[in-house]
């Protein structure tokens, strides 16, 4: 697919100008920040989707497979997977349904909690997660579009935004970016 044609101006900068002109200048910077993050997310997701498409995985399913492959036993309770991925349990159920039908994960009874179900990655799931990770590393993560110094600043700023919004609590421990 050819890259989209570049616009002759930055539409977010133009929106900022319009916001100001229409009397909303005091919130124009916030609008520009929110809109910029949302557009950057669209750009990044398009790159990720392009790499994952040949694998048959969506980013949500890729994240779940990778989370399972990183776990010590290759299995996690569905509730814990939902919490770690920061998604609604229904989203995890949907992803598990699709991954299970592709023989990439199995649902297994929890050994000590009859109310819980574990999601367990299969050998095929582990292999696909590794292949997808290698492709993403080479084609997306190695070249995200900013140099390392700017990446560190961006992640630091976004970590502050996420922490302020209640996304996580580092407690007394500082994080790499705080």
């Amino acid at each position: 697919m050819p890259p989209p044609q570049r616009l002759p101006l930055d539409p977010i900068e133009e929106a900022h100008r319009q916001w100001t002109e229409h009397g909303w200048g005091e919130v124009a910077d916030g609008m520009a920040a929110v809109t910029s993050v949302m557009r950057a997310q669209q750009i990044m997701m398009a790159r990720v989707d392009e790499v994952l498409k040949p694998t048959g995985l969506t980013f949500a399913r890729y994240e779940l497979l990778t989370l399972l492959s990183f776990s010590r036993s290759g299995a996690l309770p569905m509730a814990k997977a939902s919490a770690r991925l920061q998604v609604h349990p229904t989203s995890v159920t949907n992803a598990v349904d699709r991954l299970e039908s592709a023989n990439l994960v199995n649902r297994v009874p929890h050994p000590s909690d009859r109310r819980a179900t574990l999601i367990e990655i299969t050998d095929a799931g582990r292999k696909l997660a590794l292949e997808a990770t290698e492709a993403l590393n080479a084609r997306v993560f190695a070249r995200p579009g900013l140099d390392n110094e700017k990446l560190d600043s961006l992640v630091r700023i976004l970590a502050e935004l996420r922490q302020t919004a209640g996304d996580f609590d580092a407690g007394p421990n500082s994080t790499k970016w705080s």
Side-chain angles (χ1 to χ4, degrees):
M1 187 164 122
Q5 187 173 355
R6 289 179 183 254
L7 296 173
L9 59 92
D10 180 354
I12 296 172
E13 185 176 344
E14 175 59 15
H16 186 279
R17 186 185 72 72
Q18 292 284 348
W19 239 249
T20 303
E21 190 174 294
H22 284 82
W24 302 312
E26 69 279 359
V27 298
D29 289 349
M31 177 281 302
V34 170
T35 306
S36 293
V37 168
M38 293 173 77
R39 179 61 185 137
Q41 191 264 353
Q42 291 171 337
I43 291 166
M44 291 179 185
M45 282 308 300
R47 293 179 67 203
V48 167
D49 289 345
E50 181 181 332
V51 172
L52 289 179
K53 188 173 185 170
T55 70
L57 294 174
T58 62
F59 190 62
R61 288 180 227 149
Y62 163 75
E63 283 186 304
L64 180 55
L65 279 181
T66 302
L67 175 66
L68 293 171
S69 72
F70 288 163
S71 69
R72 277 183 291 241
S73 67
L76 287 173
M78 292 198 41
K80 186 175 274 190
S82 174
R84 293 226 179 122
L85 294 173
Q86 299 176 296
V87 297
H88 192 275
T90 304
S91 297
V92 171
T93 299
N94 184 314
V96 171
D97 288 346
R98 300 287 177 103
L99 292 170
E100 191 172 40
S101 70
N103 297 315
L104 300 171
V105 301
N106 292 313
R107 284 180 171 94
V108 296
H110 192 287
S112 61
D113 183 352
R114 293 183 316 164
R115 298 166 298 162
T117 299
L118 295 177
I119 314 161
E120 181 179 67
I121 193 167
T122 65
D123 290 341
R126 194 176 295 280
K127 181 177 184 278
L128 185 60
L130 180 59
E131 289 170 4
T133 299
E134 288 172 348
L136 286 168
N137 284 343
R139 296 178 48 204
V140 178
F141 302 150
R143 295 183 304 278
L146 296 171
D147 66 38
N148 286 344
E149 186 177 311
K150 287 180 182 172
L151 281 176
D152 192 63
S153 295
L154 175 63
V155 175
R156 182 176 284 111
I157 290 165
L158 293 174
E160 180 181 341
L161 182 145
R162 292 174 38 239
Q163 188 171 14
T164 301
D167 199 37
F168 68 97
D169 182 10
N173 305 319
S174 86
T175 68
K176 176 180 176 3
W177 294 290
S178 61

